[in-house]
Amino acid sequence: MNFKLPVTNKKRTMIIIAVIIFIIIFCLCIFFFSKNQTVTKKAENQTVVANQQSDDSKQEQDTATIKSDNNSSQNQESSNDSASKTKETNKDTQTQTSKKNSQTQSTSKSSQKTTTNKSSSTNQSSSSTHEHVWKDHKSKRWVSKMVTVTDYETQTIRGAKFYTYNGTNELGQPTYIANGPTYWFEDGFTQDDLKNIISEGMKNADENGLYNGVYYGNYQNVTKTEKVEVGSHQEDQGYYEEYIDYQYCSICGAKK
């Protein structure tokens, strides 16, 4: 039994179009393939013809060179015969001139040697004839001397100066002048030490308020400056000495 599948019109048209496209592509491939083969064959034929032409031109060049070589050899033989004759005559003249030139050169060389020997001998004699006058060339150098130097610093020191009795004034009252003993706050002396001195002077004061002629009821603030040692450092207190490093000739400049 034969069963036929139902085929629509759209499917038929699609199948027909696909078959036509396939046929066109197949024909184009065959066309391009055949065309490439013809092109390659033409190129091969052209190369063969060119090679043959080059071989023919080489053969013609070889025959032409052979002919030219034969002609040149014949010309050279004829020219060599004539040149040999002229060379023999030229040799005679050249030998005569060369002998004359060698004689003149030898005489000129001998004269040059004598002149150079004379000039060198005169130069040597002029340089060696004088007596050297030697003079001392002096220079200076540092002689080191390391010394320990004490470092000082200026400091201000405070003090207390007491008064002494200076008589009475017009009203009969006692007067005092600041020329009594002075106590400086240095070497460990402090403000407490000063207070103790004042208290002792006031306790032992007489009817005029004096103790050993000093009034300790008041004092004058004074200051002084002193250089105080604060350390030391090393210092090079050397000097420059003059010495002779070499001698030279005052005429030619030679050294020794």
Side-chain angles (χ1 to χ4, degrees), residues 148-163:
T148 301
V149 179
T150 305
D151 296 327
Y152 293 94
E153 188 179 78
T154 302
Q155 293 181 353
T156 301
I157 301 170
R158 296 184 302 109
K161 181 181 285 189
F162 288 95
Y163 293 90

Side-chain angles (χ1 to χ4, degrees), residues 13-25:
T13 54
M14 293 294 290
I15 292 166
I16 292 166
I17 291 166
V19 171
I20 291 167
I21 292 168
F22 178 76
I23 291 166
I24 291 167
I25 293 168

Side-chain angles (χ1 to χ4, degrees), residues 130-136 247-255:
H130 78 279
E131 291 183 359
H132 293 297
V133 179
W134 298 109
K135 288 189 175 182
D136 295 335
Q247 289 183 325
Y248 65 95
C249 177
S250 61
I251 298 172
C252 64
K255 294 180 180 180

Side-chain angles (χ1 to χ4, degrees), residues 12 109 141 191 196-197 229 233 243 252:
R12 287 178 181 176
K109 286 180 179 179
R141 61 188 172 193
Q191 190 74 30
N196 292 329
I197 292 170
E229 183 177 346
H233 67 278
Y243 71 101
C252 64

